[in-house]
Amino acid sequence: MPQKLVIIADPGIDAAVAIALAMHDPDLDLVGLLPTAGNVSAQQATLNCHILVNHLDPRKWPRVGTA
């Protein structure tokens, strides 16, 4: 049974890669993605998270918070 996971991140390039890897790991069930400001602004973090989910895992939409 996959481990359920919620990621809180500021998805610039490094966190975006980590999120993409987590989405495709069969041992993980990414149930939530919560963007936060950090390396990128809150608005950009939210947009990046939505883009990631839309392109990599649209069947589970929506499950993304807003920074």
Side-chain angles (χ1 to χ4, degrees), residues 1-4 20-30 59-60:
M1 180 175 202
Q3 177 75 30
K4 294 196 181 294
L21 291 171
M23 286 180 159
H24 289 87
D25 188 328
D27 295 326
L28 298 175
D29 180 16
L30 185 59
R59 64 186 166 80
K60 288 190 173 180

Side-chain angles (χ1 to χ4, degrees), residues 9-23 33 48-49 52 56:
D10 59 334
I13 189 64
D14 55 344
V17 170
I19 291 166
L21 291 171
M23 286 180 159
L33 185 53
N48 290 353
C49 284
L52 280 167
L56 299 177

